[in-house]
Amino acid sequence: RLTHMRHSAYARAYGYDFWPVYGDLMAHLPHHNLGGWGKIELIRQALSYGYDYVAWVDADAAIVDFNTDLRDALQNGGLIGCAKHTAPWFEASGIPEHYNTGVMFLKNGKRTLDFVTAWSGTYSVAIHDRWLEQGQFNGMIAAPEWAGVFVEVPAKWNATVNVNPADDEVIRGWHGVNPWVARLEM
């Protein structure tokens, strides 16, 4: 709710449809409150409805640069893009370098929809993975069958506090900042 007006105004300025969702989309699944399974379903729906481009921004991230079009994130030929998260303190904390799915950019096509559908199908495995849907995503993009689907986008597209800041940030994230009250204060 803190970013609703901001993201709504951004979407209007660029002619995007904006799908704010409040509540739990996946309440019918056991362990539905673990991870971001709702985002996979919304992305899958948007792709199946025929949207050419889908940008996902988690609730703990905000568009901060209104002069940049989110469609510009995928400039390197990939169909799906995320920023890499790595920080000097990760190793001591047991956090692997990974691509953060809290902000994602997708170009529609059969391979994109196939990937998102397959990703959704990893739910029963992922509920036992510390990194949940994000862990499954990172495993899938490394698999040969998905070669050419994924591309890393620069940090500015998901410049996360205490992880990968960027001077030219387009989206700022507070992914992993705990407790939640600290995220809200930031």
Side-chain angles (χ1 to χ4, degrees), residues 32-41 56 58 99-102 104 115 119-120 122-123 125-140:
H32 61 88
N33 58 338
L34 298 175
W37 296 101
K39 80 173 137 203
I40 302 171
E41 178 55 21
W56 176 266
D58 268 359
Y99 292 98
N100 182 275
T101 60
M104 301 178 66
F115 180 93
W119 183 25
S120 178
T122 67
Y123 174 79
V125 175
I127 60 172
H128 304 291
D129 177 350
R130 173 183 177 193
W131 295 99
L132 302 163
E133 84 289 346
Q134 184 167 265
Q136 296 303 303
F137 178 90
N138 277 269
M140 287 177 65

PDB file of all heavy atoms in Angstrom, residues 32-41 56 58 99-102 104 115 119-120 122-123 125-140:
ATOM      1  N   HIS A  32       1.166 -22.156   1.679  1.00  0.00           N
ATOM      2  CA  HIS A  32       1.029 -21.059   0.728  1.00  0.00           C
ATOM      3  C   HIS A  32       1.682 -19.774   1.207  1.00  0.00           C
ATOM      4  O   HIS A  32       2.016 -18.906   0.409  1.00  0.00           O
ATOM      5  CB  HIS A  32      -0.447 -20.792   0.410  1.00  0.00           C
ATOM      6  CG  HIS A  32      -1.232 -20.393   1.616  1.00  0.00           C
ATOM      7  ND1 HIS A  32      -1.342 -19.099   2.014  1.00  0.00           N
ATOM      8  CD2 HIS A  32      -1.907 -21.145   2.515  1.00  0.00           C
ATOM      9  CE1 HIS A  32      -2.070 -19.047   3.116  1.00  0.00           C
ATOM     10  NE2 HIS A  32      -2.435 -20.275   3.432  1.00  0.00           N
ATOM     11  N   ASN A  33       1.862 -19.648   2.508  1.00  0.00           N
ATOM     12  CA  ASN A  33       2.439 -18.417   3.044  1.00  0.00           C
ATOM     13  C   ASN A  33       3.957 -18.406   2.955  1.00  0.00           C
ATOM     14  O   ASN A  33       4.599 -17.454   3.366  1.00  0.00           O
ATOM     15  CB  ASN A  33       1.985 -18.200   4.487  1.00  0.00           C
ATOM     16  CG  ASN A  33       2.356 -19.370   5.384  1.00  0.00           C
ATOM     17  OD1 ASN A  33       2.579 -20.494   4.913  1.00  0.00           O
ATOM     18  ND2 ASN A  33       2.416 -19.123   6.668  1.00  0.00           N
ATOM     19  N   LEU A  34       4.550 -19.449   2.398  1.00  0.00           N
ATOM     20  CA  LEU A  34       5.994 -19.504   2.226  1.00  0.00           C
ATOM     21  C   LEU A  34       6.358 -19.079   0.808  1.00  0.00           C
ATOM     22  O   LEU A  34       5.935 -19.680  -0.160  1.00  0.00           O
ATOM     23  CB  LEU A  34       6.512 -20.929   2.468  1.00  0.00           C
ATOM     24  CG  LEU A  34       6.297 -21.489   3.867  1.00  0.00           C
ATOM     25  CD1 LEU A  34       6.752 -22.939   3.926  1.00  0.00           C
ATOM     26  CD2 LEU A  34       7.044 -20.660   4.888  1.00  0.00           C
ATOM     27  N   GLY A  35       7.137 -18.050   0.695  1.00  0.00           N
ATOM     28  CA  GLY A  35       7.627 -17.640  -0.612  1.00  0.00           C
ATOM     29  C   GLY A  35       6.625 -16.849  -1.434  1.00  0.00           C
ATOM     30  O   GLY A  35       5.557 -16.492  -0.969  1.00  0.00           O
ATOM     31  N   GLY A  36       7.009 -16.587  -2.659  1.00  0.00           N
ATOM     32  CA  GLY A  36       6.225 -15.735  -3.542  1.00  0.00           C
ATOM     33  C   GLY A  36       5.532 -16.483  -4.652  1.00  0.00           C
ATOM     34  O   GLY A  36       5.669 -16.123  -5.820  1.00  0.00           O
ATOM     35  N   TRP A  37       4.789 -17.531  -4.305  1.00  0.00           N
ATOM     36  CA  TRP A  37       4.132 -18.337  -5.337  1.00  0.00           C
ATOM     37  C   TRP A  37       3.065 -17.552  -6.077  1.00  0.00           C
ATOM     38  O   TRP A  37       2.810 -17.810  -7.254  1.00  0.00           O
ATOM     39  CB  TRP A  37       3.567 -19.620  -4.724  1.00  0.00           C
ATOM     40  CG  TRP A  37       4.698 -20.422  -4.214  1.00  0.00           C
ATOM     41  CD1 TRP A  37       5.113 -20.529  -2.924  1.00  0.00           C
ATOM     42  CD2 TRP A  37       5.642 -21.143  -4.993  1.00  0.00           C
ATOM     43  NE1 TRP A  37       6.257 -21.289  -2.854  1.00  0.00           N
ATOM     44  CE2 TRP A  37       6.593 -21.683  -4.117  1.00  0.00           C
ATOM     45  CE3 TRP A  37       5.783 -21.392  -6.352  1.00  0.00           C
ATOM     46  CZ2 TRP A  37       7.671 -22.450  -4.552  1.00  0.00           C
ATOM     47  CZ3 TRP A  37       6.847 -22.160  -6.786  1.00  0.00           C
ATOM     48  CH2 TRP A  37       7.770 -22.676  -5.885  1.00  0.00           C
ATOM     49  N   GLY A  38       2.452 -16.592  -5.416  1.00  0.00           N
ATOM     50  CA  GLY A  38       1.436 -15.782  -6.080  1.00  0.00           C
ATOM     51  C   GLY A  38       2.004 -15.013  -7.259  1.00  0.00           C
ATOM     52  O   GLY A  38       1.347 -14.855  -8.282  1.00  0.00           O
ATOM     53  N   LYS A  39       3.245 -14.544  -7.139  1.00  0.00           N
ATOM     54  CA  LYS A  39       3.831 -13.787  -8.240  1.00  0.00           C
ATOM     55  C   LYS A  39       3.989 -14.653  -9.483  1.00  0.00           C
ATOM     56  O   LYS A  39       3.783 -14.192 -10.598  1.00  0.00           O
ATOM     57  CB  LYS A  39       5.156 -13.148  -7.844  1.00  0.00           C
ATOM     58  CG  LYS A  39       6.354 -14.048  -7.869  1.00  0.00           C
ATOM     59  CD  LYS A  39       7.628 -13.257  -7.620  1.00  0.00           C
ATOM     60  CE  LYS A  39       8.507 -14.018  -6.676  1.00  0.00           C
ATOM     61  NZ  LYS A  39       9.443 -13.178  -5.985  1.00  0.00           N
ATOM     62  N   ILE A  40       4.333 -15.929  -9.298  1.00  0.00           N
ATOM     63  CA  ILE A  40       4.499 -16.816 -10.446  1.00  0.00           C
ATOM     64  C   ILE A  40       3.162 -16.976 -11.162  1.00  0.00           C
ATOM     65  O   ILE A  40       3.096 -16.920 -12.393  1.00  0.00           O
ATOM     66  CB  ILE A  40       5.059 -18.188 -10.016  1.00  0.00           C
ATOM     67  CG1 ILE A  40       6.396 -18.014  -9.299  1.00  0.00           C
ATOM     68  CG2 ILE A  40       5.211 -19.098 -11.230  1.00  0.00           C
ATOM     69  CD1 ILE A  40       6.904 -19.284  -8.649  1.00  0.00           C
ATOM     70  N   GLU A  41       2.106 -17.146 -10.407  1.00  0.00           N
ATOM     71  CA  GLU A  41       0.783 -17.306 -11.011  1.00  0.00           C
ATOM     72  C   GLU A  41       0.351 -16.030 -11.732  1.00  0.00           C
ATOM     73  O   GLU A  41      -0.200 -16.084 -12.837  1.00  0.00           O
ATOM     74  CB  GLU A  41      -0.253 -17.712  -9.965  1.00  0.00           C
ATOM     75  CG  GLU A  41      -1.654 -17.862 -10.493  1.00  0.00           C
ATOM     76  CD  GLU A  41      -1.806 -18.824 -11.670  1.00  0.00           C
ATOM     77  OE1 GLU A  41      -0.943 -19.705 -11.887  1.00  0.00           O
ATOM     78  OE2 GLU A  41      -2.807 -18.695 -12.397  1.00  0.00           O
ATOM     79  N   TRP A  56       7.663  -7.465 -12.910  1.00  0.00           N
ATOM     80  CA  TRP A  56       7.218  -7.805 -11.565  1.00  0.00           C
ATOM     81  C   TRP A  56       8.037  -7.006 -10.569  1.00  0.00           C
ATOM     82  O   TRP A  56       9.273  -6.985 -10.640  1.00  0.00           O
ATOM     83  CB  TRP A  56       7.397  -9.296 -11.266  1.00  0.00           C
ATOM     84  CG  TRP A  56       7.015  -9.565  -9.851  1.00  0.00           C
ATOM     85  CD1 TRP A  56       7.836  -9.602  -8.763  1.00  0.00           C
ATOM     86  CD2 TRP A  56       5.680  -9.742  -9.366  1.00  0.00           C
ATOM     87  NE1 TRP A  56       7.097  -9.804  -7.620  1.00  0.00           N
ATOM     88  CE2 TRP A  56       5.770  -9.892  -7.971  1.00  0.00           C
ATOM     89  CE3 TRP A  56       4.431  -9.788  -9.973  1.00  0.00           C
ATOM     90  CZ2 TRP A  56       4.650 -10.084  -7.175  1.00  0.00           C
ATOM     91  CZ3 TRP A  56       3.330  -9.983  -9.178  1.00  0.00           C
ATOM     92  CH2 TRP A  56       3.442 -10.133  -7.799  1.00  0.00           C
ATOM     93  N   ASP A  58       8.162  -6.694  -6.380  1.00  0.00           N
ATOM     94  CA  ASP A  58       7.656  -7.120  -5.078  1.00  0.00           C
ATOM     95  C   ASP A  58       7.194  -5.924  -4.254  1.00  0.00           C
ATOM     96  O   ASP A  58       7.596  -4.783  -4.503  1.00  0.00           O
ATOM     97  CB  ASP A  58       8.767  -7.828  -4.279  1.00  0.00           C
ATOM     98  CG  ASP A  58       8.811  -9.333  -4.463  1.00  0.00           C
ATOM     99  OD1 ASP A  58       7.976  -9.887  -5.207  1.00  0.00           O
ATOM    100  OD2 ASP A  58       9.701  -9.959  -3.855  1.00  0.00           O
ATOM    101  N   TYR A  99      20.288 -14.722  -8.230  1.00  0.00           N
ATOM    102  CA  TYR A  99      19.487 -13.742  -8.954  1.00  0.00           C
ATOM    103  C   TYR A  99      18.195 -13.555  -8.181  1.00  0.00           C
ATOM    104  O   TYR A  99      17.496 -14.516  -7.881  1.00  0.00           O
ATOM    105  CB  TYR A  99      19.232 -14.195 -10.396  1.00  0.00           C
ATOM    106  CG  TYR A  99      20.513 -14.187 -11.188  1.00  0.00           C
ATOM    107  CD1 TYR A  99      21.231 -15.353 -11.381  1.00  0.00           C
ATOM    108  CD2 TYR A  99      21.019 -12.993 -11.690  1.00  0.00           C
ATOM    109  CE1 TYR A  99      22.435 -15.329 -12.073  1.00  0.00           C
ATOM    110  CE2 TYR A  99      22.219 -12.963 -12.372  1.00  0.00           C
ATOM    111  CZ  TYR A  99      22.917 -14.135 -12.564  1.00  0.00           C
ATOM    112  OH  TYR A  99      24.115 -14.107 -13.240  1.00  0.00           O
ATOM    113  N   ASN A 100      17.898 -12.303  -7.839  1.00  0.00           N
ATOM    114  CA  ASN A 100      16.760 -12.004  -6.983  1.00  0.00           C
ATOM    115  C   ASN A 100      15.493 -11.874  -7.809  1.00  0.00           C
ATOM    116  O   ASN A 100      15.416 -11.066  -8.733  1.00  0.00           O
ATOM    117  CB  ASN A 100      17.025 -10.715  -6.201  1.00  0.00           C
ATOM    118  CG  ASN A 100      15.903 -10.395  -5.269  1.00  0.00           C
ATOM    119  OD1 ASN A 100      14.923  -9.778  -5.665  1.00  0.00           O
ATOM    120  ND2 ASN A 100      16.026 -10.816  -4.024  1.00  0.00           N
ATOM    121  N   THR A 101      14.485 -12.676  -7.458  1.00  0.00           N
ATOM    122  CA  THR A 101      13.220 -12.676  -8.193  1.00  0.00           C
ATOM    123  C   THR A 101      12.209 -11.680  -7.633  1.00  0.00           C
ATOM    124  O   THR A 101      11.059 -11.673  -8.051  1.00  0.00           O
ATOM    125  CB  THR A 101      12.606 -14.091  -8.221  1.00  0.00           C
ATOM    126  OG1 THR A 101      12.362 -14.525  -6.883  1.00  0.00           O
ATOM    127  CG2 THR A 101      13.511 -15.062  -8.944  1.00  0.00           C
ATOM    128  N   GLY A 102      12.649 -10.820  -6.730  1.00  0.00           N
ATOM    129  CA  GLY A 102      11.769  -9.784  -6.208  1.00  0.00           C
ATOM    130  C   GLY A 102      11.463  -8.706  -7.231  1.00  0.00           C
ATOM    131  O   GLY A 102      10.472  -7.987  -7.118  1.00  0.00           O
ATOM    132  N   MET A 104      11.522  -8.647 -11.520  1.00  0.00           N
ATOM    133  CA  MET A 104      11.751  -9.454 -12.722  1.00  0.00           C
ATOM    134  C   MET A 104      11.189  -8.744 -13.946  1.00  0.00           C
ATOM    135  O   MET A 104      10.204  -8.014 -13.842  1.00  0.00           O
ATOM    136  CB  MET A 104      11.039 -10.811 -12.596  1.00  0.00           C
ATOM    137  CG  MET A 104      11.460 -11.636 -11.426  1.00  0.00           C
ATOM    138  SD  MET A 104      10.535 -13.185 -11.339  1.00  0.00           S
ATOM    139  CE  MET A 104      11.139 -13.992 -12.814  1.00  0.00           C
ATOM    140  N   PHE A 115       8.794 -21.625 -19.405  1.00  0.00           N
ATOM    141  CA  PHE A 115       9.653 -21.516 -18.227  1.00  0.00           C
ATOM    142  C   PHE A 115       8.826 -21.199 -16.987  1.00  0.00           C
ATOM    143  O   PHE A 115       8.972 -21.847 -15.943  1.00  0.00           O
ATOM    144  CB  PHE A 115      10.726 -20.438 -18.422  1.00  0.00           C
ATOM    145  CG  PHE A 115      11.635 -20.282 -17.238  1.00  0.00           C
ATOM    146  CD1 PHE A 115      12.830 -20.976 -17.169  1.00  0.00           C
ATOM    147  CD2 PHE A 115      11.286 -19.445 -16.178  1.00  0.00           C
ATOM    148  CE1 PHE A 115      13.663 -20.845 -16.059  1.00  0.00           C
ATOM    149  CE2 PHE A 115      12.112 -19.316 -15.070  1.00  0.00           C
ATOM    150  CZ  PHE A 115      13.301 -20.011 -15.011  1.00  0.00           C
ATOM    151  N   TRP A 119       8.365 -23.418 -13.733  1.00  0.00           N
ATOM    152  CA  TRP A 119       8.753 -22.858 -12.435  1.00  0.00           C
ATOM    153  C   TRP A 119       7.612 -23.038 -11.435  1.00  0.00           C
ATOM    154  O   TRP A 119       7.822 -23.471 -10.306  1.00  0.00           O
ATOM    155  CB  TRP A 119       9.119 -21.391 -12.621  1.00  0.00           C
ATOM    156  CG  TRP A 119       9.609 -20.647 -11.425  1.00  0.00           C
ATOM    157  CD1 TRP A 119      10.212 -21.162 -10.301  1.00  0.00           C
ATOM    158  CD2 TRP A 119       9.555 -19.239 -11.239  1.00  0.00           C
ATOM    159  NE1 TRP A 119      10.537 -20.142  -9.435  1.00  0.00           N
ATOM    160  CE2 TRP A 119      10.149 -18.956  -9.991  1.00  0.00           C
ATOM    161  CE3 TRP A 119       9.081 -18.192 -12.009  1.00  0.00           C
ATOM    162  CZ2 TRP A 119      10.267 -17.653  -9.500  1.00  0.00           C
ATOM    163  CZ3 TRP A 119       9.203 -16.907 -11.518  1.00  0.00           C
ATOM    164  CH2 TRP A 119       9.787 -16.649 -10.284  1.00  0.00           C
ATOM    165  N   SER A 120       6.411 -22.746 -11.868  1.00  0.00           N
ATOM    166  CA  SER A 120       5.241 -22.929 -11.008  1.00  0.00           C
ATOM    167  C   SER A 120       5.121 -24.380 -10.549  1.00  0.00           C
ATOM    168  O   SER A 120       4.718 -24.662  -9.416  1.00  0.00           O
ATOM    169  CB  SER A 120       3.983 -22.507 -11.766  1.00  0.00           C
ATOM    170  OG  SER A 120       2.842 -22.718 -10.990  1.00  0.00           O
ATOM    171  N   THR A 122       7.325 -26.366  -9.668  1.00  0.00           N
ATOM    172  CA  THR A 122       8.334 -26.784  -8.680  1.00  0.00           C
ATOM    173  C   THR A 122       7.875 -26.571  -7.246  1.00  0.00           C
ATOM    174  O   THR A 122       8.633 -26.818  -6.313  1.00  0.00           O
ATOM    175  CB  THR A 122       9.671 -26.037  -8.889  1.00  0.00           C
ATOM    176  OG1 THR A 122       9.488 -24.649  -8.592  1.00  0.00           O
ATOM    177  CG2 THR A 122      10.205 -26.224 -10.293  1.00  0.00           C
ATOM    178  N   TYR A 123       6.650 -26.160  -7.067  1.00  0.00           N
ATOM    179  CA  TYR A 123       6.147 -25.813  -5.727  1.00  0.00           C
ATOM    180  C   TYR A 123       6.399 -26.900  -4.689  1.00  0.00           C
ATOM    181  O   TYR A 123       6.910 -26.632  -3.605  1.00  0.00           O
ATOM    182  CB  TYR A 123       4.655 -25.485  -5.793  1.00  0.00           C
ATOM    183  CG  TYR A 123       4.040 -25.268  -4.431  1.00  0.00           C
ATOM    184  CD1 TYR A 123       4.216 -24.063  -3.779  1.00  0.00           C
ATOM    185  CD2 TYR A 123       3.329 -26.271  -3.797  1.00  0.00           C
ATOM    186  CE1 TYR A 123       3.686 -23.853  -2.524  1.00  0.00           C
ATOM    187  CE2 TYR A 123       2.785 -26.067  -2.542  1.00  0.00           C
ATOM    188  CZ  TYR A 123       2.970 -24.862  -1.902  1.00  0.00           C
ATOM    189  OH  TYR A 123       2.451 -24.661  -0.660  1.00  0.00           O
ATOM    190  N   VAL A 125       8.532 -29.222  -4.455  1.00  0.00           N
ATOM    191  CA  VAL A 125       9.947 -29.388  -4.129  1.00  0.00           C
ATOM    192  C   VAL A 125      10.446 -28.177  -3.351  1.00  0.00           C
ATOM    193  O   VAL A 125      11.186 -28.295  -2.376  1.00  0.00           O
ATOM    194  CB  VAL A 125      10.784 -29.564  -5.416  1.00  0.00           C
ATOM    195  CG1 VAL A 125      12.267 -29.610  -5.102  1.00  0.00           C
ATOM    196  CG2 VAL A 125      10.339 -30.799  -6.174  1.00  0.00           C
ATOM    197  N   ALA A 126      10.033 -27.003  -3.779  1.00  0.00           N
ATOM    198  CA  ALA A 126      10.574 -25.759  -3.244  1.00  0.00           C
ATOM    199  C   ALA A 126      10.171 -25.470  -1.807  1.00  0.00           C
ATOM    200  O   ALA A 126      10.877 -24.746  -1.116  1.00  0.00           O
ATOM    201  CB  ALA A 126      10.157 -24.592  -4.131  1.00  0.00           C
ATOM    202  N   ILE A 127       9.060 -26.030  -1.339  1.00  0.00           N
ATOM    203  CA  ILE A 127       8.666 -25.721   0.037  1.00  0.00           C
ATOM    204  C   ILE A 127       9.667 -26.278   1.042  1.00  0.00           C
ATOM    205  O   ILE A 127       9.674 -25.870   2.190  1.00  0.00           O
ATOM    206  CB  ILE A 127       7.231 -26.207   0.372  1.00  0.00           C
ATOM    207  CG1 ILE A 127       7.108 -27.711   0.197  1.00  0.00           C
ATOM    208  CG2 ILE A 127       6.213 -25.430  -0.432  1.00  0.00           C
ATOM    209  CD1 ILE A 127       5.796 -28.275   0.689  1.00  0.00           C
ATOM    210  N   HIS A 128      10.549 -27.158   0.576  1.00  0.00           N
ATOM    211  CA  HIS A 128      11.594 -27.713   1.445  1.00  0.00           C
ATOM    212  C   HIS A 128      12.943 -27.031   1.221  1.00  0.00           C
ATOM    213  O   HIS A 128      13.929 -27.396   1.841  1.00  0.00           O
ATOM    214  CB  HIS A 128      11.720 -29.221   1.209  1.00  0.00           C
ATOM    215  CG  HIS A 128      10.419 -29.938   1.399  1.00  0.00           C
ATOM    216  ND1 HIS A 128       9.821 -30.085   2.639  1.00  0.00           N
ATOM    217  CD2 HIS A 128       9.583 -30.509   0.508  1.00  0.00           C
ATOM    218  CE1 HIS A 128       8.682 -30.732   2.495  1.00  0.00           C
ATOM    219  NE2 HIS A 128       8.506 -30.998   1.218  1.00  0.00           N
ATOM    220  N   ASP A 129      12.987 -26.050   0.333  1.00  0.00           N
ATOM    221  CA  ASP A 129      14.216 -25.336  -0.013  1.00  0.00           C
ATOM    222  C   ASP A 129      14.224 -24.011   0.755  1.00  0.00           C
ATOM    223  O   ASP A 129      13.236 -23.269   0.738  1.00  0.00           O
ATOM    224  CB  ASP A 129      14.211 -25.085  -1.530  1.00  0.00           C
ATOM    225  CG  ASP A 129      15.406 -24.290  -2.033  1.00  0.00           C
ATOM    226  OD1 ASP A 129      16.182 -23.749  -1.233  1.00  0.00           O
ATOM    227  OD2 ASP A 129      15.551 -24.207  -3.264  1.00  0.00           O
ATOM    228  N   ARG A 130      15.335 -23.693   1.384  1.00  0.00           N
ATOM    229  CA  ARG A 130      15.443 -22.439   2.147  1.00  0.00           C
ATOM    230  C   ARG A 130      15.066 -21.235   1.284  1.00  0.00           C
ATOM    231  O   ARG A 130      14.499 -20.261   1.756  1.00  0.00           O
ATOM    232  CB  ARG A 130      16.868 -22.294   2.678  1.00  0.00           C
ATOM    233  CG  ARG A 130      17.122 -20.958   3.328  1.00  0.00           C
ATOM    234  CD  ARG A 130      18.557 -20.807   3.772  1.00  0.00           C
ATOM    235  NE  ARG A 130      18.758 -19.485   4.323  1.00  0.00           N
ATOM    236  CZ  ARG A 130      19.933 -18.970   4.575  1.00  0.00           C
ATOM    237  NH1 ARG A 130      21.022 -19.667   4.367  1.00  0.00           N
ATOM    238  NH2 ARG A 130      20.037 -17.756   5.068  1.00  0.00           N
ATOM    239  N   TRP A 131      15.381 -21.301  -0.011  1.00  0.00           N
ATOM    240  CA  TRP A 131      15.178 -20.154  -0.892  1.00  0.00           C
ATOM    241  C   TRP A 131      13.875 -20.240  -1.672  1.00  0.00           C
ATOM    242  O   TRP A 131      13.609 -19.419  -2.546  1.00  0.00           O
ATOM    243  CB  TRP A 131      16.384 -20.000  -1.818  1.00  0.00           C
ATOM    244  CG  TRP A 131      17.588 -19.672  -1.010  1.00  0.00           C
ATOM    245  CD1 TRP A 131      18.561 -20.534  -0.601  1.00  0.00           C
ATOM    246  CD2 TRP A 131      17.897 -18.408  -0.428  1.00  0.00           C
ATOM    247  NE1 TRP A 131      19.467 -19.876   0.184  1.00  0.00           N
ATOM    248  CE2 TRP A 131      19.089 -18.571   0.315  1.00  0.00           C
ATOM    249  CE3 TRP A 131      17.296 -17.162  -0.454  1.00  0.00           C
ATOM    250  CZ2 TRP A 131      19.688 -17.526   1.017  1.00  0.00           C
ATOM    251  CZ3 TRP A 131      17.889 -16.121   0.245  1.00  0.00           C
ATOM    252  CH2 TRP A 131      19.064 -16.313   0.959  1.00  0.00           C
ATOM    253  N   LEU A 132      13.055 -21.255  -1.378  1.00  0.00           N
ATOM    254  CA  LEU A 132      11.710 -21.380  -1.925  1.00  0.00           C
ATOM    255  C   LEU A 132      11.681 -21.174  -3.442  1.00  0.00           C
ATOM    256  O   LEU A 132      12.476 -21.769  -4.154  1.00  0.00           O
ATOM    257  CB  LEU A 132      10.761 -20.433  -1.179  1.00  0.00           C
ATOM    258  CG  LEU A 132      10.716 -20.688   0.343  1.00  0.00           C
ATOM    259  CD1 LEU A 132      10.110 -19.506   1.066  1.00  0.00           C
ATOM    260  CD2 LEU A 132       9.946 -21.954   0.643  1.00  0.00           C
ATOM    261  N   GLU A 133      10.755 -20.359  -3.920  1.00  0.00           N
ATOM    262  CA  GLU A 133      10.605 -20.195  -5.370  1.00  0.00           C
ATOM    263  C   GLU A 133      11.833 -19.548  -5.996  1.00  0.00           C
ATOM    264  O   GLU A 133      12.180 -19.822  -7.137  1.00  0.00           O
ATOM    265  CB  GLU A 133       9.328 -19.422  -5.719  1.00  0.00           C
ATOM    266  CG  GLU A 133       9.409 -17.924  -5.689  1.00  0.00           C
ATOM    267  CD  GLU A 133       9.526 -17.318  -4.294  1.00  0.00           C
ATOM    268  OE1 GLU A 133       9.285 -18.000  -3.286  1.00  0.00           O
ATOM    269  OE2 GLU A 133       9.866 -16.125  -4.217  1.00  0.00           O
ATOM    270  N   GLN A 134      12.524 -18.697  -5.254  1.00  0.00           N
ATOM    271  CA  GLN A 134      13.733 -18.057  -5.774  1.00  0.00           C
ATOM    272  C   GLN A 134      14.848 -19.090  -5.966  1.00  0.00           C
ATOM    273  O   GLN A 134      15.580 -19.044  -6.953  1.00  0.00           O
ATOM    274  CB  GLN A 134      14.194 -16.951  -4.828  1.00  0.00           C
ATOM    275  CG  GLN A 134      15.380 -16.181  -5.333  1.00  0.00           C
ATOM    276  CD  GLN A 134      15.589 -14.924  -4.543  1.00  0.00           C
ATOM    277  OE1 GLN A 134      15.120 -13.872  -4.944  1.00  0.00           O
ATOM    278  NE2 GLN A 134      16.270 -15.026  -3.417  1.00  0.00           N
ATOM    279  N   GLY A 135      14.959 -20.029  -5.059  1.00  0.00           N
ATOM    280  CA  GLY A 135      15.938 -21.101  -5.208  1.00  0.00           C
ATOM    281  C   GLY A 135      15.650 -21.959  -6.418  1.00  0.00           C
ATOM    282  O   GLY A 135      16.559 -22.340  -7.168  1.00  0.00           O
ATOM    283  N   GLN A 136      14.380 -22.263  -6.644  1.00  0.00           N
ATOM    284  CA  GLN A 136      13.996 -23.051  -7.807  1.00  0.00           C
ATOM    285  C   GLN A 136      14.294 -22.295  -9.096  1.00  0.00           C
ATOM    286  O   GLN A 136      14.795 -22.865 -10.063  1.00  0.00           O
ATOM    287  CB  GLN A 136      12.511 -23.426  -7.736  1.00  0.00           C
ATOM    288  CG  GLN A 136      12.164 -24.321  -6.566  1.00  0.00           C
ATOM    289  CD  GLN A 136      12.975 -25.596  -6.572  1.00  0.00           C
ATOM    290  OE1 GLN A 136      12.963 -26.347  -7.532  1.00  0.00           O
ATOM    291  NE2 GLN A 136      13.712 -25.843  -5.502  1.00  0.00           N
ATOM    292  N   PHE A 137      14.011 -21.003  -9.102  1.00  0.00           N
ATOM    293  CA  PHE A 137      14.298 -20.167 -10.270  1.00  0.00           C
ATOM    294  C   PHE A 137      15.785 -20.210 -10.594  1.00  0.00           C
ATOM    295  O   PHE A 137      16.176 -20.434 -11.743  1.00  0.00           O
ATOM    296  CB  PHE A 137      13.851 -18.720  -9.992  1.00  0.00           C
ATOM    297  CG  PHE A 137      14.150 -17.769 -11.109  1.00  0.00           C
ATOM    298  CD1 PHE A 137      13.223 -17.564 -12.115  1.00  0.00           C
ATOM    299  CD2 PHE A 137      15.353 -17.083 -11.157  1.00  0.00           C
ATOM    300  CE1 PHE A 137      13.495 -16.686 -13.155  1.00  0.00           C
ATOM    301  CE2 PHE A 137      15.631 -16.211 -12.190  1.00  0.00           C
ATOM    302  CZ  PHE A 137      14.699 -16.008 -13.193  1.00  0.00           C
ATOM    303  N   ASN A 138      16.623 -20.009  -9.583  1.00  0.00           N
ATOM    304  CA  ASN A 138      18.071 -19.987  -9.808  1.00  0.00           C
ATOM    305  C   ASN A 138      18.587 -21.333 -10.298  1.00  0.00           C
ATOM    306  O   ASN A 138      19.481 -21.386 -11.141  1.00  0.00           O
ATOM    307  CB  ASN A 138      18.797 -19.519  -8.542  1.00  0.00           C
ATOM    308  CG  ASN A 138      18.822 -18.016  -8.436  1.00  0.00           C
ATOM    309  OD1 ASN A 138      19.736 -17.378  -8.905  1.00  0.00           O
ATOM    310  ND2 ASN A 138      17.783 -17.442  -7.838  1.00  0.00           N
ATOM    311  N   GLY A 139      18.019 -22.420  -9.810  1.00  0.00           N
ATOM    312  CA  GLY A 139      18.398 -23.734 -10.312  1.00  0.00           C
ATOM    313  C   GLY A 139      17.981 -23.939 -11.752  1.00  0.00           C
ATOM    314  O   GLY A 139      18.726 -24.489 -12.567  1.00  0.00           O
ATOM    315  N   MET A 140      16.786 -23.473 -12.084  1.00  0.00           N
ATOM    316  CA  MET A 140      16.273 -23.656 -13.446  1.00  0.00           C
ATOM    317  C   MET A 140      17.078 -22.870 -14.477  1.00  0.00           C
ATOM    318  O   MET A 140      17.368 -23.393 -15.556  1.00  0.00           O
ATOM    319  CB  MET A 140      14.800 -23.254 -13.519  1.00  0.00           C
ATOM    320  CG  MET A 140      13.860 -24.246 -12.862  1.00  0.00           C
ATOM    321  SD  MET A 140      12.140 -23.689 -12.886  1.00  0.00           S
ATOM    322  CE  MET A 140      11.793 -23.682 -14.661  1.00  0.00           C
TER     323      MET A 140
END
